[in-house]
Structures are given as C-alpha cells and as structure tokens.
C-alpha cells in the first residue's frame, strides 16, 4: 500500500520477469516455457517494427471499423442526474465486441512467427467468434475450446464459429466452463508446440500475454483520450469498465493510469452476492492471490487452494481469475474494484436498452449498473466514460429467460 | 548435501544393474483408506520410487486419466493435510522407499511454502515435482525446498533445447524426469529411439539419474524405454487401473488394490527381465 506514495508511474509494468509487483510471472510447465520465451522475443521484435503496427492499424481501421465512437449518452445522463456519461462504443466493432482488437494483433504476430494453426479458449463465445473471424480472414485452421456447459448456453456464438470454419471442441473436464476450456487449450498447445499459436482472449495467462493483450486493447483508451479532448477539451474524470479477465478494462484504463486526476473503477461480477459461497465471480473482491493458468493473481479458491467455478449471469465474466495487472492495480490502490450483482446488471441492461436504444451485452451491463450507482453522486461537470465493450445480441435468450419473457 | 532416500535408492539400483520403477498414484484416489493401503503395498509390489500426486482441480499438464484421478480424490475429501498424513502413516512402516510429492503450485502456495516444506519433511517426504514452477520461478519454491533439504526434481521435455538444458538442470536434484512426449500425461506413445537419444544428451550434461515418463502404459514399453535410463515412470496406466476397478458409484472394490498391485508387479518384472536378457 505504501507503493502508492513511492511509485511515480503505474504504466511501466511488467518487469523483465513478467511481474506486476507480486502478480503475473511465468508459472507454466517446462514444455511450454521455451514457447513462452519465443513468443516474448517475437512480440518485442514486432513492437520495434513500424510495419507491424502499420499493418495492424490498417486492419483495425478497415476491417474492425475503428475508431469506435465516443458517444454522449444524453438520456441516461438526464435520468441519473449526475455525471455526464459517455459510452466508448466498442460494441460497434466487427464481431460485436472489443475482442477483435486483440485477435487482430495476435494473429498478425502468429503469421509473423510462421505459425500455421490457431487455437483459443472461449467462455461466452465472443473471443471464440473473434478468433474464428481472424483465422478465416487469414486462412488459418482454427480450433476453439469451449466448455460443454457454455456451448449449451451460447448456441448462437457456437454456430457463428462453425460458420466461420472453426472447429469448436467441447470441453467436458472439470465443470465445462471457461477455466476448463483454458486448461484444454493449454494441453493442446503443449501437444502441438511446433506449429500452433494460442490466442489467449484476456489479459491473463503467463507473461507476455497479460502485457501483450493489454497493449492490443489499449487502443480503446488511447482513442477515448483523444476523443474526450476533442469533445470536452479535457481528460475525463471517471472511467468505468467491467472485469472478467479484464481485457476491455485494462485497454481503457492503461493510457490513463498516470493521470492521477482520473478516478478509475473496475466492476466485477457479484453474481448472487459476494456473501454467497461460490455464488459470484468477483475474484478481487471475494478471492485471494494464488497461481493458475501461468500467473499469480487474485483467484476464486477454497482454503486448500482448489479453484472454484464462480457464478455470473454473464458467461463472459465467470472466470475464477483476473489479469495480474488488475491485481496489482488493486493492491497499489490506483483502481477501485467493486462488485455488482446479476440482478443489478439485468436492471441496467433494461435501462440502457430503453433509454439509449443500445442493447448492451451482459458484461458491460455490470459496468452500467455501477454507473447507475455512481453517476448520481457526482457533479454534473464530471466527465464519465464507460466502456460499452460488447453488444447484447448473444444475450437476448438468457435475458428473456431471466425476465420470464417469451421470445417472439 | 547428505544422501537422501532418493540418492540411496538410485545407488542401490545401480548396484543391482537394473532400471527402477517409479509409480504415480494420487493421494486420496479413490478414497483415503484405499489410497493409503495402495501406498503401503507399493514397495513390496515393486515400486522403487513412489510419486504421490497432490490432487489439484486444474491439472493442466495432465491427460484425462490423471485429471479424473485428481477429481476423484478431491471429491472424496482429500486435502493437503490429509496427503501429508498419508505420507506420515506410510513412513511408520517404511523408512527406505522414497516418496516424491507431485502436483501443482497453488495448493502449496495456499498452504504456505515454509509451512509446507516443514510439514513435508516432518512427514517423511523426500522430493518434490511441481509442474508449473519452471527455472524462471526458482525462488518461489525450488530454492527454499533445496535449502530445507528436499530434492527438487525437474522435468526436461522434448522442447527443452541444448541452450536451455543447463538452466533446467542447474537446481535439479535427486533425479531428472525426462518427459518422453511433447504433450500431456498418458496420451501419445513415446518414440523409443528419440527418447534414448535425448536421455543420452541429458546424461552428457549431468551425473543425476534420469527417469523417463509420460505415455508409458505397458510392461513392454517400460522395458523398452528403460534402456539407457535409470528409471521409468508409470502413472496414467496405474490410475486407469484404479478407475476400472471401481463400482458403479465410483467406490473402491476388493479388486482395486489387487489390480494395482498386479500391474506394478508386472511392470517391475518387465524391468528385471531386461537385466536377465542382457546377462545372457
């Protein structure tokens, strides 16, 4: 906690060992270690190569549709009667979420490294769809690991991935959700080390993934900064984003970490409530540090170090861990992390849909739910940016079920 | 460092002129009592070194057989405290057969590294294999374990190239575990010729014994892969034998221990046959 006083920058991490303070690192089996090192080297080289960024920028603009707009949510602002609320409209990207930003970056790196096969894990299917999309675009075979439980509750995305030519492999080990999908993707990678590139979807995993995914997602925050300066002539006062693994959030937050006047809030999935055992997916508010999937970070786990499944209404948030940089930002006090329940997210989903004509995904509905609580407490000249990181088309079936509505 | 049970065992195997058998079973699979009775029966059945799995919910380097074994153990209520109690109970009867605890870092991290090392040594553990702590993270567990007097056994794999091998061997003690396939436990069958070549290359860089494992299922494979190595490790085949012996509700049957003991006997027999064949 004393770090807050002594640090002069929050944006220089990770160190050469892939650590953000205590968090991060490279906790992988020896078989993967040489690959992780090769990846790190390739990524460092790509960062130094202006043609890499130029090609990526071109794809982000013409293929993904960036920059995404910074939109003044006028009616929501009126309704809440406090802070001036802006949405960073990353749900308007190609494939409907921020996930494409990272996938374009990683597939460019895979091609640069001469890899011939793409694998990925997915929970809600948003990352899987984005991976299947870029794999189709560049003509590489693609296998997406997805928990059997998630396959059953995210059928439209499963179908999308198959249309795009990806093979969706159901994961039945464990409880058949995101963490198990990640385990199986890692197992695939270990067995196919020569030709395979693993596109991790969130800012977690062994170094260099957390830093690399953050870098590719930071386009969100960089754009937001420029756009806010253009719209209001100054930086925003408040940032809000939802946290599962935390890739959209770190993308928005990172360019603002060294602007101390900007207050930053990460919103975790509080599920049935933080007090309900194994009934939430808020690893930072309701978990403790441990080691899983290659990095040390806050995890949902029992007293014996066994990983818990967690629960959230949003399949994209029920991951038992969180990116290590978030764990460090929590401990250093730079970012405030708060939980929001399923019900609050569902209410915010409906409010936004009716007031703004935007159907948000259940993931950013969590961020919205916190905006609902926070905005009224802030003055009218407080500029608030919320990352609308995904659209809700995929969630309408789940929402209908929760609201007891008939489809059609 | 004084000789550990592991060092003594490999010295004795060298005297005997045969490769050793390293068995892997999971603590608490299918339940505490059965797993303990299996553990106690292993030395007589022919296990020269015992690897005892510390069950983990997310065993990323393991194939379906060991994953299932781990989950059966957790379901039956296995914890780190019980795993250490099991070793303690074994040591009351056996003071010679080495026990190596194998697993993943998180349960140790949560137990507390210092407390774990202290309790493991007190229980009679000789070494550790912790899959997800590579040399890059040595100060987490490897160095404290070595300082406390435990062997820290590292995995070398087909992806460990010549440049990296010295780093992998640097803080390894007891023996080197050569992973015979690039993959997870109990899946593909290893290529005998390639493995032998890699084992030779490891032995050129270290005096430590080398044990070969991952994917060895039959006595014939064990015999073939022991050529040039000091030991072979069999795990998935053993926990599969346990799985196949269970009743419909996943409970142990009278057959469970017998099947396992029978398989260990035949594996050890195969390793002894090599020595006879060579003598002829």
């Amino acid at each position: 906690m004393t770090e807050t006083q002594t640090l002069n920058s929050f944006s220089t991490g990770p160190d050469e060992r892939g650590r953000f303070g205590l968090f991060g690192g490279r906790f992988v089996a020896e078989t993967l270690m040489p690959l992780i090192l090769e990846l790190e080297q390739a990524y460092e080289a790509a960062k130094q190569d202006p043609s890499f960024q130029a090609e990526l920028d071109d794809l982000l603009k013409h293929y993904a549709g960036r920059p995404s707009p910074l939109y003044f949510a006028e009616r929501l602002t009126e309704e809440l009667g406090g802070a001036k609320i802006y949405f960073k409209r990353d749900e308007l990207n190609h494939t409907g979420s921020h996930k494409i930003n990272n996938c374009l970056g990683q597939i460019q790196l895979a091609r640069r490294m001469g890899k011939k096969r793409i694998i990925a894990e997915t929970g809600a299917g948003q990352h899987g769809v984005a991976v299947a999309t870029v794999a189709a675009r560049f003509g590489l075979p693609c296998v997406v690991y997805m928990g059997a439980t998630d396959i059953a509750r995210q059928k439209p995305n499963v179908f999308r991935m198959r249309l795009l030519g990806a093979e969706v492999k159901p994961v039945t080990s464990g409880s058949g959700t995101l963490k198990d999908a990640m385990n199986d993707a890692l197992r695939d990678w270990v067995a196919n080390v020569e030709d395979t590139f693993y596109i991790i979807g969130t800012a977690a995993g062994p170094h260099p993934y957390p830093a690399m995914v953050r870098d590719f997602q930071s386009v969100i925050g960089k754009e937001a900064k420029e756009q806010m300066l253009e719209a209001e002539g100054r930086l925003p006062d408040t940032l809000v984003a939802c946290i599962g693994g935390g890739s959209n959030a770190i993308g928005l937050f990172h360019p603002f970490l060294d602007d101390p006047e900007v207050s930053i809030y990460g919103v975790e999935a509080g599920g049935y409530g933080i007090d309900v055992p194994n009934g939430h997916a808020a690893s930072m508010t309701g978990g403790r540090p441990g080691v899983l999937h290659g990095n040390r970070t806050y995890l949902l786990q029992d007293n014996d170090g066994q990983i818990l499944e967690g629960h959230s209404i949003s399949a994209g948030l029920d991951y038992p861990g969180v990116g290590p940089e978030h764990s460090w930002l929590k401990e250093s006090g730079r970012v405030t992390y708060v939980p929001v329940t399923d019900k609050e997210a569902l209410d915010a989903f409906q409010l936004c849909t009716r007031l703004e004509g935007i159907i948000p995904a259940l993931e950013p509905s969590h961020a919205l739910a916190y905006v609902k609580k926070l905005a009224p407490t802030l003055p009218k000249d407080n500029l608030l940016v919320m990352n609308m990181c995904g659209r809700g088309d995929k969630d309408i079936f789940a929402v209908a079920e929760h609201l007891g509505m008939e489809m059609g | 460092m004084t000789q550990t049970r592991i060092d003594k065992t490999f010295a004795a195997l060298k005297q005997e002129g045969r490769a050793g058998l390293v068995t892997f079973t999971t603590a608490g699979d299918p339940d505490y009592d059965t797993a303990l009775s299996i553990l106690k029966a292993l030395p007589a059945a022919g296990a020269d070194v015992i690897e005892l799995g510390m069950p983990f919910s997310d065993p990323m380097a393991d194939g379906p057989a060991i994953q299932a074994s781990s989950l059966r153990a957790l379901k039956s209520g296995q914890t780190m405290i019980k795993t250490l109690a099991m070793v303690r109970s074994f040591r009351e009867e056996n003071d010679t057969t080495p026990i190596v605890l194998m697993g993943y870092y998180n349960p140790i991290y949560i137990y507390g590294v210092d407390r774990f090392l202290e309790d493991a040594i007190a229980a009679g553990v000789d070494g550790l294999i912790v899959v997800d702590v590579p040399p890059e993270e040595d100060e987490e567990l490897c160095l404290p374990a070595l300082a406390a007097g435990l062997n820290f056994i590292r995995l070398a794999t087909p992806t460990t190239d010549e440049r990296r091998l010295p780093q992998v061997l640097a803080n390894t003690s007891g023996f080197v575990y050569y992973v015979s396939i690039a993959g997870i436990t109990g899946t593909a069958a290893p290529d005998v010729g390639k493995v032998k070549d890699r084992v030779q290359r490891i032995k050129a860089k270290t005096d430590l014994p080398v044990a070969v494992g991952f994917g060895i299922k039959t006595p014939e494979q064990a015999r073939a892969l022991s050529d040039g190595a000091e030991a072979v490790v069999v795990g998935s085949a053993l926990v599969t034998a346990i799985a196949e012996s269970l009743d419909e509700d996943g409970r142990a049957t009278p057959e469970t221990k017998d099947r396992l003991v029978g398989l260990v006997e035949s594996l050890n027999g195969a390793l002894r046959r090599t020595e006879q064949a060579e003598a002829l």
Side-chain angles (χ1 to χ4, degrees), chain A residues 83-86 228 238 240 371 374-375 378 382-386:
Chain A
K84 189 170 183 185
I85 300 162
Y86 283 86
M228 187 57 93
T238 310
V240 183
V371 169
L374 182 66
L378 298 171
N382 188 293
L383 304 176
L384 184 153
V385 177
M386 191 217 82

Side-chain angles (χ1 to χ4, degrees), chain A residues 99-116:
Chain A
K99 294 291 186 188
I100 192 81
N101 305 331
N102 169 49
C103 290
L104 284 170
Q106 287 201 45
I107 202 153
Q108 285 294 83
L109 189 59
R111 294 174 67 226
R112 205 183 146 93
M113 292 174 75
K115 301 292 182 184
K116 303 284 181 226

Side-chain angles (χ1 to χ4, degrees), chain B residues 235-255:
Chain B
S236 297
L238 298 184
V239 301
T240 300
I242 291 176
E244 286 170 354
S245 73
L246 304 177
D247 70 14
E248 284 167 7
D249 301 320
R251 284 181 307 226
T253 63
E255 222 191 299

Side-chain angles (χ1 to χ4, degrees), chain A residues 244-300:
Chain A
S247 71
N248 91 84
I250 202 70
L252 175 66
F253 299 169
H254 195 259
F256 294 96
L257 290 177
D258 287 333
D259 297 313
E261 67 273 31
V262 181
S263 304
I264 307 181
Y265 299 89
V267 186
E268 294 196 284
Y272 303 125
I274 289 293
D275 303 330
V276 180
N278 206 15
H280 61 82
S283 29
M284 285 184 290
T285 354
R288 60 173 167 150
V291 175
L292 179 72
H293 293 153
N295 65 121
R296 174 163 33 222
T297 192
Y298 276 83
L299 297 173
L300 302 175

Side-chain angles (χ1 to χ4, degrees), chain B residues 9-95:
Chain B
T9 298
F10 278 103
L13 285 165
K14 195 173 182 181
Q15 285 277 313
E16 278 185 56
R18 69 172 175 95
L21 176 64
V22 183
T23 60
F24 172 92
T25 51
T26 305
D29 174 26
D31 60 74
Y32 184 89
D33 292 337
T34 309
L36 180 59
S37 76
I38 287 172
L39 186 65
K40 288 181 173 175
L42 282 171
D48 297 298
V49 176
I50 294 173
E51 278 181 16
L52 186 63
M54 301 172 279
F56 182 46
S57 54
D58 294 78
M60 285 153 287
D62 286 299
I66 293 179
Q67 287 174 47
S69 165
S70 215
L71 293 180
R72 283 195 299 272
L74 291 175
K75 208 176 158 199
S76 81
Q78 191 67 17
T79 60
M80 188 65 91
I81 287 173
K82 287 186 180 175
T83 299
L84 294 172
M86 200 173 264
V87 177
R88 229 175 6 253
S89 175
F90 173 87
R91 277 281 167 256
E92 285 165 9
E93 298 175 12
N94 179 313
D95 196 34

Side-chain angles (χ1 to χ4, degrees), chain B residues 8 85 225 249:
Chain B
K8 287 179 195 161
L225 284 156
D249 301 320

